[in-house]
Amino acid sequence: MLRIILFTIFLFIFSATTYANQASNIQKLVKQYQELGWFSGNVLVFENQNKIFESSVGYANLDEGIKHQADTLFDIGSIQKDLTAVLVLQAVDDGLIGLDEPLVKYVSDLPIDISNKVKVVHLLRHTSGIPDVFNAEYRTNFRLYDTIAKTITLVNDSELLFEPGSDRRYSNMGYVLLGAILEKAYNKDYWALVEIMIMSKVRATSLETGVMPKVMAELYHFNYDGQQVLVDKDQREHKGPAGGGFYSATDLMLFYQQLFNGKLLSKSSLTFFKNLQKDNSQWVAFGGGKGVSTAVEINFLSGVWVCVLANTDGLVAEEISGRIMGLMHEGEIEAPRVPPSTFAYKLYEQIGKKRFNEEFKPRYKAEGYDTFIGRVLTDLGRNLISAGKPEESIFFFEYLTENFPEMPEVYDGLALGYFSSGYHKEALNAFQKSVVMKPDYQSLFHPTNYVVNLE
């Protein structure tokens, strides 16, 4: 009996020591990202249902000096899609929605080819073929699309990218349509459904309860110069079924615990939900946007659950959650770096235009970055335009045309740089090169392909 007691005490001490070491390593990692000026937010880590780490760093409101605390509410970005999917499957369990029913049964005034061919199951699996919401019209006028009904009108000018069910292409629009289907099925507002059918069951502290939280995070863009810049209200997208609800890290952990413990869905619907991702041994969900970065990673085999919510962007939460998983499973991770677009601009400032043209690629690779530089420099150019430095963006867009002359998208980017700088003729000339390569090409950034009435 004494041996059993001593062994039990040993296990307790060993586990406590292990958890303490893990927490210390995670804390060092989080601090590194904070010291880069990149991360501001909350981190919550569980192992085998034991909370081993919780931390709040940075500010919910820099101007007012309000620090994050455990119940800070964050914009969760695309993680909202998981809540939308659960609502749909709850409606399936209630017999109100059929997975194999066509879109036309629930949503009217859409193109016949789309409404008859696309089924609910296609929307859930991102196999509908419906283009994403981020076309040039939306990018230019996104503040106008403040309701589900207004947003789905963007489908009217769309054509299917492929036959539904034959391929997979991530589509925010698909989940906006699921929101419309839910509102039709229940005759209730989408956000009321989230509160009634999910968050009230997991003891949420969301805004929709009517109980004001202590802290709600403002959004900060981590810019090209490595600074946190407040995202103005008119630069923020409206929240909807595809992204944008405000919840705390505890809210999300409770949601996933209830979900995967079978408390929110029937057994068959939970199986369907898990199969929305290929690897059933884990669940990963990420969200991003201007001033938004969120991550939930769950490893069912090891019992490690990680939630990182940030009110800074650049996928910092995704980086931190991945590195925490690396620490928990492998014990070692590489040192953090600033986002690639920030690295690119800092290098440009340091060595100048001529040397940048010669040295950027090898130095970018040597620093360990692997994100496609076309995406990196396009993001940098657009950030410079947003910051009121459009003429400076032209250099980076020109760099891309010189290095990827076969890609119509880079001339579209150059046209954006010219147009934003007031050089409308040059913008049209640049865009024409995109059209020469791809006659049906439509601008990703300008709704009329840079054709404007200058009178």
Side-chain angles (χ1 to χ4, degrees), residues 89-147:
L89 293 172
Q90 286 176 330
V92 171
D93 289 338
D94 292 340
L96 297 175
I97 293 176
L99 288 175
D100 291 321
E101 295 287 355
L103 194 53
V104 68
K105 182 175 179 179
Y106 305 101
V107 184
S108 58
D109 301 326
L110 294 179
I112 294 176
D113 190 48
I114 291 176
S115 59
N116 285 337
K117 288 183 177 181
V118 175
K119 299 177 180 179
V120 174
V121 67
H122 296 142
L123 300 176
L124 284 166
R125 291 174 172 165
H126 296 282
T127 58
S128 68
I130 296 174
D132 208 344
V133 69
F134 298 115
N135 58 24
E137 167 61 26
Y138 181 83
R139 291 179 192 273
T140 305
N141 302 301
F142 64 87
R143 290 296 298 173
L144 298 178
Y145 299 98
D146 56 352
T147 65

Side-chain angles (χ1 to χ4, degrees), residues 414-424 426-427 446 450-452 454:
L414 180 58
L416 176 66
Y418 281 135
F419 190 87
S420 302
S421 302
Y423 306 136
H424 294 175
E426 290 83 354
H446 196 278
Y450 306 98
V451 176
V452 294
L454 299 178

Side-chain angles (χ1 to χ4, degrees), residues 20-79:
N21 289 337
Q22 290 170 333
S24 177
N25 289 334
I26 296 171
Q27 182 63 58
K28 290 177 184 177
L29 173 68
V30 171
K31 186 177 181 181
Q32 287 177 319
Y33 277 93
Q34 184 186 16
E35 289 174 345
L36 288 176
W38 188 6
F39 178 60
S40 170
N42 285 359
V43 180
L44 188 56
V45 182
F46 283 79
E47 184 174 23
N48 297 323
Q49 301 184 30
N50 296 300
K51 183 166 67 177
I52 66 168
F53 183 81
E54 184 173 22
S55 180
S56 300
V57 301
Y59 291 85
N61 190 313
L62 276 168
D63 289 342
E64 298 181 14
I66 300 174
K67 294 184 177 181
H68 287 303
Q69 54 193 43
D71 62 353
T72 298
L73 300 186
F74 293 83
D75 183 332
I76 64 170
S78 285
I79 292 179

Side-chain angles (χ1 to χ4, degrees), residues 268-286:
S268 60
S269 287
L270 180 56
T271 298
F272 179 93
F273 180 88
K274 287 183 175 180
N275 286 332
L276 291 174
Q277 296 187 12
K278 290 182 179 181
D279 186 353
N280 283 175
S281 69
Q282 63 177 354
W283 186 266
V284 294
F286 304 118

Side-chain angles (χ1 to χ4, degrees), residues 374-437:
R375 175 183 174 183
V376 171
L377 296 186
T378 297
D379 287 347
L380 173 55
R382 293 178 65 197
N383 286 336
L384 287 166
I385 291 169
S386 296
K389 297 183 176 182
E391 294 204 23
E392 198 168 353
S393 76
I394 293 173
F395 167 77
F396 297 100
F397 289 126
E398 286 180 335
Y399 177 93
L400 291 178
T401 63
E402 292 165 4
N403 284 271
F404 305 100
E406 75 288 354
M407 296 180 64
E409 293 83 2
V410 299
Y411 296 99
D412 188 6
L414 180 58
L416 176 66
Y418 281 135
F419 190 87
S420 302
S421 302
Y423 306 136
H424 294 175
K425 182 178 179 180
E426 290 83 354
L428 274 174
N429 290 338
F431 185 73
Q432 284 305 309
K433 295 181 180 180
S434 300
V435 177
V436 168
M437 282 185 275

